[in-house]
Amino acid sequence: TNDESRSTFRWMANGTTAVQGAVGELLLLNFDNTVNGAAGEKPTVSNGVEFAPGAWESALNLATNGRLAYRSDRNLSLAEGTVELWTSLRHDASDPAYTSHWHVLFIYYASNGDWVGIAEDEEWGYLYAGGVVSGAWQSAWGPGGSMYGWRTGEWHCLTYTYSATGNFMRFYVDGQLSADTCEVRFQRKRGRY
């Protein structure tokens, strides 16, 4: 069977299954000593790729200035979906490396200049999801995404879920909702976005 169709979900309401079924995964990257997707998708760019011990088997470990990119068509729904990844810090969160610049974990650039991504804000140390859509900044950003206290070698799950029809974007850290569809005023004031 195809790895991309093996995952299932179950939504519970008051201890009773409300909805369940197969997850419609478009791009599944396990990074088990390969950058190829579970259905054979190959990257369009692969620079500075290394592998290291992961949460289960191996994990992607991009070198400084490394880059890994895939085609978005058939791999990313822009209307609604979920991007989930597991991450582990190279240094404890208190290290100055995390206050020197913005760290991008995932980013998608559209041909019209819009973009969306998951990143770490160097000023606050928060992980968040956000981007620019039709020239306007949109985000799911908040203190629940703080890396404060994280240590090297610990693994954390980051999940960004979004829906154009539902008009929301939500960001979860280790299964806990950390931010839900917010506009962050200080980011505009700083002028970065």
Side-chain angles (χ1 to χ4, degrees):
T1 62
N2 181 340
D3 283 342
E4 291 182 336
S5 63
R6 288 187 189 169
S7 298
T8 60
F9 74 93
R10 180 172 57 166
W11 292 102
M12 305 288 287
N14 298 323
T16 304
T17 300
V19 181
Q20 65 183 10
V23 174
E25 293 172 333
L26 299 178
L27 179 62
L28 175 60
L29 301 168
N30 292 316
F31 297 122
D32 291 335
N33 292 312
T34 181
V35 292
N36 294 341
E41 302 93 341
K42 295 186 184 325
T44 56
V45 176
S46 179
N47 298 329
V49 171
E50 301 169 353
F51 295 96
W56 294 275
E57 294 187 27
S58 71
L60 175 68
N61 185 15
L62 282 178
T64 302
N65 298 320
R67 188 165 178 246
L68 186 60
Y70 296 84
R71 296 176 54 102
S72 59
D73 60 317
R74 295 183 309 278
N75 288 329
L76 180 68
S77 168
L78 298 177
E80 56 190 314
T82 300
V83 176
E84 179 184 22
L85 57 95
W86 284 83
T87 188
S88 178
L89 301 179
R90 292 183 187 190
H91 313 282
D92 289 348
S94 59
D95 191 284
Y98 299 109
T99 59
S100 63
H101 63 280
W102 187 49
H103 292 86
V104 177
L105 286 84
F106 162 83
I107 196 159
Y108 165 77
Y109 289 105
S111 58
N112 68 356
D114 289 353
W115 64 270
V116 65
I118 298 173
E120 179 258 342
D121 181 286
E122 79 278 8
E123 202 167 320
W124 294 86
Y126 293 173
L127 290 158
Y128 67 93
V132 173
V133 178
S134 300
W137 169 253
Q138 305 288 326
S139 71
W141 184 99
S146 174
M147 297 185 333
Y148 180 76
W150 286 17
R151 302 285 179 245
T152 303
E154 296 174 350
W155 285 91
H156 298 275
C157 181
L158 307 179
T159 307
Y160 169 42
T161 185
Y162 56 91
S163 172
T165 55
N167 196 31
F168 69 80
M169 59 174 57
R170 296 181 180 122
F171 189 62
Y172 297 81
V173 177
D174 294 328
Q176 300 297 311
L177 180 64
S178 69
D180 187 353
T181 317
C182 58
E183 173 60 41
V184 181
R185 281 174 250 139
F186 86 90
Q187 289 180 320
R188 282 190 175 177
K189 181 177 77 180
R190 285 182 13 222
R192 187 153 55 109
Y193 301 109

